[in-house]
Each structure stands twice: as C-alpha cells, then as structure tokens.
Amino acid sequence: MMEEFQVAVVGAGPAGSTAAEVAALAGAKVVLIDRKSEIGTPVQCGGFLPEVHELKGLMPRARLPATLVEIPERCVLHRTSLQRIYPPSGRSKEFPVAARVVDRRAFDRHLASRAARAGSRVLPATRARLDSGRLLLSGRFSGSIAPQVIVGADGPSSDISRSMGNPKGEMGICIEYEMADVEIDAAAAEMYFSTRYAPGGYAWIIPIANDMAFVGVGVRASYLGRAKVPDLLDRFVKEHPQASGKLRRGEVLAVMRGLVPASGSVGSLQKEGLLLAGDAAGHVMATSGGGIPLAMVAGRIAGEVASEHLKGSAMLAEYPSRIRDAFGKELERSVRIKKMVEVAMHSDRLMDALLGALGPQQIKAVMRAQIPAAWPKVRDHSEEPSADDR
Ligand SMILES: Cc1cc2nc3c(=O)[nH]c(=O)nc-3n(C[C@H](O)[C@H](O)[C@H](O)COP(=O)(O)OP(=O)(O)OC[C@H]3O[C@@H](n4cnc5c(N)ncnc54)[C@H](O)[C@@H]3O)c2cc1C
C-alpha cells in the first residue's frame, strides 16, 4: 500500500528535482519518481552551463534557483571563458562567455539529494504511467497514487505532455562522445556550423579538462537525408578541416545519445492537476539547445505553484503565465531566430554570409535569443538564373 502524496514529480532531472525540493521545503508531501536505477546515469548531456551573470543576460526576469547559482565544486568538471563559432568557411569568431561544465551524473544526484533532504520521498528504478488522473508505478516500487498535483518533468519524450494533448514537436537528434587525449583549446567551447557535418544543427567541442572534451553533433531529421547521425560525428572527428586536427588522435571513452526539443514551449503547460516543466514542456533555447537553466527555473516555478495551490493561495492555472513572465519572451524569440536562420541552415554559402555579416557580440546576442537591430539580409543567389542563363 503506497503512502498518500500531495505532489508527485515524474522525472528526477534538473527540472523535477528542483520542483520536488521547492514543493517539499514549502511543506508539501512530495514524491520524486525516476525510471533510472541510478539518478543521473546514463548521462545524456554536455553539461555546458553559463555562469550566473551570463544567465541573467539570458533570462533577465527569471528568479534563478539557488541550486543554479551555487553549484558544489565536485559537480563542476571544468570552466571555460570563451565561445568560438566556426562557420562552414572555417573563419572563426569568438566572444567571452564564462561557463561551468557540470558533471550531470554528480549534479543530478546532488539535486535529487537536496529534494530528499527537503523531505521528498525519492523512488528510483520506478516508472510512472498516467491513468485517469492517477499515477501507476511499476519497477522497484509499484502501486498507484492519486496526488493533487503531478509535475511532468519526464524529459523530451514526455508521456505526460502527450497525454495532455501536446503534439510531439521537432527534436534535435544528438550524439556525443566523451574523448580523452585531444588537443583542444581548454578555455573555449566551440560550435561548428556546416551542412556536411551537422545538417540543421551544429557540432560542438566542450572541454572538460585540458585534454578531454565532450564532442557531439546535434541535427534535425528534416535536414538529415540518408546520413546517419553516428557517421556524422565520426566524420566530424576525422575529417572536419579545423576540428579533426584537435580530435583525430583522441580516444572515445563514452558514447551518449539523446533528443533535444527544438520547437520551443508546448501549447499546454497545465491541465487540471498536471504541470509540465523542462524538456517535457519544450523549455530549451532553440538557438543553442541549452535546456538546463530553463528546466531549473521552470522546476522552481512548478514547485512554488504546486505548494501555493495546496495552501489555497494560488491556482494551478497561474503556472503558464508565471513561466511566460520568467523566460517566455526569450524562449519565443529563440524559436523566431531559429526560423530566421532556417534558409541559411540549408546552405553553407548563406551560413557563411550570415555569420560573416554579424560581429562577435552580435553572434553572442543571437545565441542569447536577442535579435540584432540590423539583421543582415542574406539571400541564396545559387538558385537564381545567372546572366548567362538569361
Ligand atoms: C547530447 C545532449 C547534450 C546536451 N548538452 C547540453 C548542454 O551542454 N547544456 C544544456 O544546458 N543542455 C544540454 N542538453 C539539454 C539538457 O540535457 C536538457 O535540456 C535537460 O536535461 C532537461 O532537464 P529535465 O529535467 O527537463 O529533463 P531530463 O534531464 O531529461 O530528465 C527527465 C527524467 O525523467 C525520467 N523519466 C522519463 N519518463 C519517465 C517515466 N515514465 N517514469 C519515471 N521517470 C521518467 C528520465 O529517466 C529522466 O531522468 C543536452 C541534451 C543532449 C541530448
């Protein structure tokens, strides 16, 4: 026989553990459920997390949870100070971005242990399935619970989001290696744009030590053609004109895969007793694929709204507007920018023209979902008839 819980959080990633901690600290009886046997494992992330002042530039109106501000050193693998962007031409541009690279295995366990210390019950190795307002649990812990509030923080393939009627939006398909013995610039996180290596997305090198890095590609299915994503990553490592010299002699220690929502917020964030937070809600910046900060801000708001609702001081229906106030504009703008660069994503010449026309600070602004006052007009002339054809 399962205990009674007021709030059930499905998914112990950054969104879910934050929601559980906040709701439990406010006095709610909370259960945090994850199907993973070991919370945080397997890792499906690069862990790139801008420092607090950068996050304030990214989401100026959001209240950052303390866990996003003070991250224990044991959860930080490395720090970078630069972001370097490689257009297809290889002529790179860089700008300062102070960032931590977190060890998601340690960080997710840290967040879940904080939720536990705040009073949440934690159920690993347990799958939750929504059935007529109840949660059916199976695995290590089994049974059925009927909490007043369910927070769906169950990641990019969220069943709870689907059950609320949200369609499956476009996803970035990612594969990432942890590599050792690479010859990288340990101060710089690098993004590489090219239709040959990362169609519809980008490839990245995120340093985790002086000679170690997460190296990945994130692509979109609609751009992929017949290419296979693992082959693209191998091609990037072995053949990319600028990256292969840094990576070719390295060794792969781990392979990680995962999906990243690429269409911005889902339409319905709240329905009856259900709230969605993090990847489950599409809370990922479409310009960068970064989702950790938004997931944690959304988790905080979900935990607050859930506990206030139990005390009678808020309605669950307030949740979507609180999310909009925190980072709605920035998230929407990131999707608009993604649409604006859609044409350039199909053509290396256009991507070169676009990134060539923007200065480093303007590229930084675009990554932060700010639209520059003068957006460069780039057109693909390759399909227009030339003077000879006329
Ligand atoms: C390869 C890759 C690299 C990335 N790199 C970065 C990066 O460098 N920086 C960044 O900011 N973002 C990055 N992201 C995105 C980032 O990982 C996500 O945005 C972030 O993890 C979202 O947190 P979340 O809590 O919403 O979801 P998740 O971290 O996905 O957690 C969801 C949890 O729900 C659990 N779950 C799912 N269904 C059930 C169920 N039915 N029952 C019980 N449990 C369930 C899962 O086991 C999982 O633990 C990357 C993503 C990928 C795939």
Side-chain angles (χ1 to χ4, degrees):
M1 190 61 185
M2 268 286 177
E3 306 157 52
E4 295 288 322
F5 295 102
Q6 294 171 302
V7 179
V9 181
V10 182
S17 290
T18 307
E21 181 188 3
V22 168
L25 283 176
K29 209 158 181 306
V30 180
V31 61
L32 175 62
I33 305 155
D34 203 295
R35 63 186 177 195
K36 290 180 175 168
S37 305
E38 193 183 339
I39 286 168
T41 308
V43 173
Q44 292 170 299
C45 188
F48 183 78
L49 186 57
E51 291 283 358
V52 175
H53 64 278
E54 305 279 2
L55 291 177
K56 287 187 175 155
L58 185 72
M59 298 182 281
R61 286 177 307 282
R63 281 179 304 120
L64 305 180
T67 41
L68 198 49
V69 177
E70 291 145 24
I71 298 180
E73 278 307 308
R74 67 187 154 78
C75 300
V76 179
L77 293 169
H78 189 70
R79 284 188 163 77
T80 54
S81 54
L82 278 179
Q83 205 161 330
R84 187 172 294 131
I85 309 290
Y86 283 88
S89 69
R91 284 189 289 275
S92 67
K93 292 191 174 170
E94 61 190 45
F95 43 86
V97 175
R100 303 157 279 191
V101 184
V102 294
D103 175 353
R104 279 291 303 268
R105 180 173 179 273
F107 189 52
D108 284 22
R109 286 160 72 108
H110 161 68
L111 296 177
S113 66
R114 285 189 53 125
R117 273 185 222 114
S120 306
R121 185 89 205 277
V122 183
L123 307 183
T126 303
R127 184 179 289 270
R129 186 164 64 80
L130 194 61
D131 183 37
S132 318
R134 301 180 71 82
L135 278 178
L136 306 182
L137 307 186
S138 58
R140 169 78 178 82
F141 299 91
S142 58
S144 159
I145 54 174
Q148 281 130 285
V149 184
I150 295 172
V151 179
D154 48 342
S157 307
S158 170
D159 285 340
I160 297 182
S161 181
R162 292 303 91 73
S163 74
M164 288 166 66
N166 291 313
K168 195 167 182 253
E170 189 181 29
M171 293 281 163
I173 307 165
C174 302
I175 177 159
E176 183 179 74
Y177 290 154
E178 178 180 341
M179 295 190 72
D181 200 19
V182 288
E183 292 169 42
I184 49 163
D185 176 353
E190 297 181 336
M191 296 168 89
Y192 295 78
F193 292 87
S194 158
T195 55
R196 179 168 160 73
Y197 301 94
Y202 65 88
W204 64 85
I205 300 178
I206 302 175
I208 53 174
N210 286 341
D211 66 347
M212 291 183 71
F214 289 138
V215 179
V217 294
V219 299
R220 283 185 278 155
S222 52
Y223 287 76
L224 208 47
R226 278 190 285 170
K228 294 203 166 51
V229 189
D231 295 344
L232 291 174
L233 179 54
D234 286 333
R235 184 189 283 173
F236 176 68
V237 168
K238 294 195 184 105
E239 297 175 16
H240 189 281
Q242 284 75 39
S244 62
K246 307 173 189 179
L247 306 172
R248 202 185 293 128
R249 283 171 295 279
E251 287 296 325
V252 176
L253 303 188
V255 184
M256 296 160 261
R257 290 163 213 272
L259 298 174
V260 175
S263 311
S265 179
V266 298
S268 172
L269 288 182
Q270 179 269 330
K271 191 176 174 188
E272 292 153 7
L274 302 172
L275 307 177
L276 291 177
D279 277 15
H283 293 155
V284 175
M285 281 298 189
T287 40
S288 65
I292 303 170
L294 277 67
M296 293 178 69
V297 170
R300 174 190 190 149
I301 297 171
E304 286 171 353
V305 171
S307 54
E308 289 168 25
H309 167 73
L310 295 171
K311 291 176 185 156
S313 59
M315 290 186 302
L316 294 181
E318 291 173 33
Y319 177 66
S321 61
R322 291 204 202 175
I323 292 284
R324 262 197 309 279
D325 290 347
F327 57 70
K329 271 197 194 133
E330 291 75 16
L331 184 54
E332 270 169 34
R333 274 205 310 261
S334 76
V335 176
R336 259 174 49 214
I337 291 174
K338 191 192 88 173
K339 288 186 183 144
M340 287 161 83
V341 299
E342 206 76 66
V343 181
M345 279 286 182
H346 282 287
S347 153
D348 284 349
R349 277 186 350 146
L350 281 184
M351 187 55 87
D352 275 331
L354 178 65
L355 290 172
L358 293 169
Q361 286 306 325
Q362 286 175 309
I363 300 178
K364 179 171 181 173
V366 169
M367 290 289 161
R368 282 177 166 186
Q370 293 156 5
I371 302 175
W375 183 262
K377 285 207 172 19
V378 287
R379 291 179 60 203
D380 189 354
H381 299 289
S382 61
E383 288 176 9
E384 290 176 3
S386 69
D388 297 342
D389 298 330
R390 281 186 209 123

